[in-house]
Amino acid sequence: MPTDAIIECPSPNHDLRQPDMVVDMLVVHYTGMLSAAAALERLSDAEARVSVQYCIDEDGRIYRLVAEDLRAWHAGISYWRGKTDINDRSIGIEMVNPGHEFGYCPFPARQMDAFRELALDILGRYPIPARNVVGHSDVAPLRKRDPGEFFDWHAMAEASIGLWPGEADYLELAPTKIKNILADIGYDVRDLPAALRAFQRHYRPSRVNGRLDPETARRIVGRSQLIGEVY
Ligand SMILES: [Zn+2]
């Protein structure tokens, strides 16, 4: 990533990471606002108390709001693989998009190209395992829907950003077993339909309904096999 391609847009909304904290997560969001300008303003508003390291406009322009070594405030109350302070251990990227509330729309190719380039650059510099490349909805399934089902996780996985599961032959439909597998993947499974919806939004975006249908079950097992846990 040529540094001169990134537009500096510093936000006061940050604090320090815990000493010795290792950044091992990448969290993807959408802005959920009508314009990039409105999103950048909010992400820099001291009273809003939200921020992120990077924001990518629909035309592919990348804004840096918080330096990577600082703790930005993008994940909120969240959980992944037993950890709850996701802001402390992650780098956040916001994709400009109106979101489900204001007219959710596909992410333009130029925006996805910029995301791919930035994410690969980050993944080359931090020990972030593929299983820790997640959406906001993965880490806050009861509260969040971003970046949503239009975010092309499949194409990103083919570019070595995150994981994409095939459908396992083995079909496990016992809810308790599925709950355990989702927990092993990393989800907060206290509300199983919410966890299923989050999984579908990321890994089976054609139908996001929180139901344990056969394809969802096969993809959950397929996803677990990608990280070496065989059921
Ligand atoms: Zn978000």
Side-chain angles (χ1 to χ4, degrees):
M1 172 71 43
T3 47
D4 59 358
I6 295 180
I7 303 161
E8 301 293 342
C9 183
S11 166
N13 299 337
H14 56 74
D15 51 15
L16 298 177
R17 296 187 192 273
Q18 291 298 309
D20 304 324
M21 176 55 70
V22 174
V23 170
D24 66 357
M25 291 186 71
L26 182 65
V27 182
V28 185
H29 304 259
Y30 64 49
T31 53
M33 298 189 74
L34 287 172
S35 70
L40 290 169
E41 191 177 320
R42 178 168 158 79
L43 290 164
S44 301
D45 177 356
E47 287 188 12
R49 297 188 64 78
V50 292
S51 64
V52 73
Q53 274 80 13
Y54 297 101
C55 182
I56 305 181
D57 202 346
E58 288 157 313
D59 61 8
R61 275 183 294 185
I62 301 173
Y63 295 87
R64 175 167 30 224
L65 292 97
V66 174
E68 290 177 0
D69 60 336
L70 295 171
R71 181 176 175 278
W73 305 338
H74 54 95
I77 295 168
S78 46
Y79 173 96
W80 189 248
R81 294 178 62 199
K83 310 291 191 210
T84 52
D85 194 341
I86 304 303
N87 285 336
D88 209 23
R89 60 193 316 115
S90 69
I91 287 174
I93 300 177
E94 290 270 2
M95 303 291 281
V96 170
N97 190 296
H100 294 88
E101 203 174 339
F102 297 110
Y104 188 44
C105 54
F107 299 94
R110 282 205 292 181
Q111 189 181 24
M112 289 306 294
D113 289 345
F115 173 85
R116 185 186 303 108
E117 196 180 343
L118 175 62
L120 285 173
D121 178 69
I122 292 167
L123 294 173
R125 290 183 288 106
Y126 293 92
I128 300 175
R131 60 190 293 191
N132 281 2
V133 178
V134 294
H136 200 185
S137 54
D138 290 311
V139 302
L142 276 171
R143 297 189 303 117
K144 294 293 177 180
R145 290 182 281 177
D146 60 318
E149 53 279 9
F150 287 144
F151 191 84
D152 196 346
W153 289 108
H154 189 181
M156 292 305 105
E158 286 178 344
S160 303
I161 300 162
L163 298 170
W164 186 259
E167 289 186 51
D169 296 333
Y170 175 78
L171 178 59
E172 174 58 67
L173 276 170
T176 317
K177 195 81 180 282
I178 284 292
K179 201 169 184 172
N180 290 340
I181 300 174
L182 284 171
D184 284 342
I185 291 170
Y187 288 94
D188 175 352
V189 294
R190 285 174 296 177
D191 183 317
L192 183 57
L196 284 169
R197 261 195 307 280
F199 181 90
Q200 290 167 333
R201 217 181 280 290
H202 189 143
Y203 298 108
R204 207 284 298 271
S206 59
R207 201 177 331 130
V208 180
N209 58 10
R211 297 225 179 113
L212 186 55
D213 54 59
E215 189 196 338
T216 300
R218 287 197 178 92
R219 287 209 184 270
I220 289 172
V221 176
R223 170 65 178 75
S224 72
Q225 290 170 346
L226 289 177
I227 52 177
E229 288 133 12
V230 178
Y231 292 83

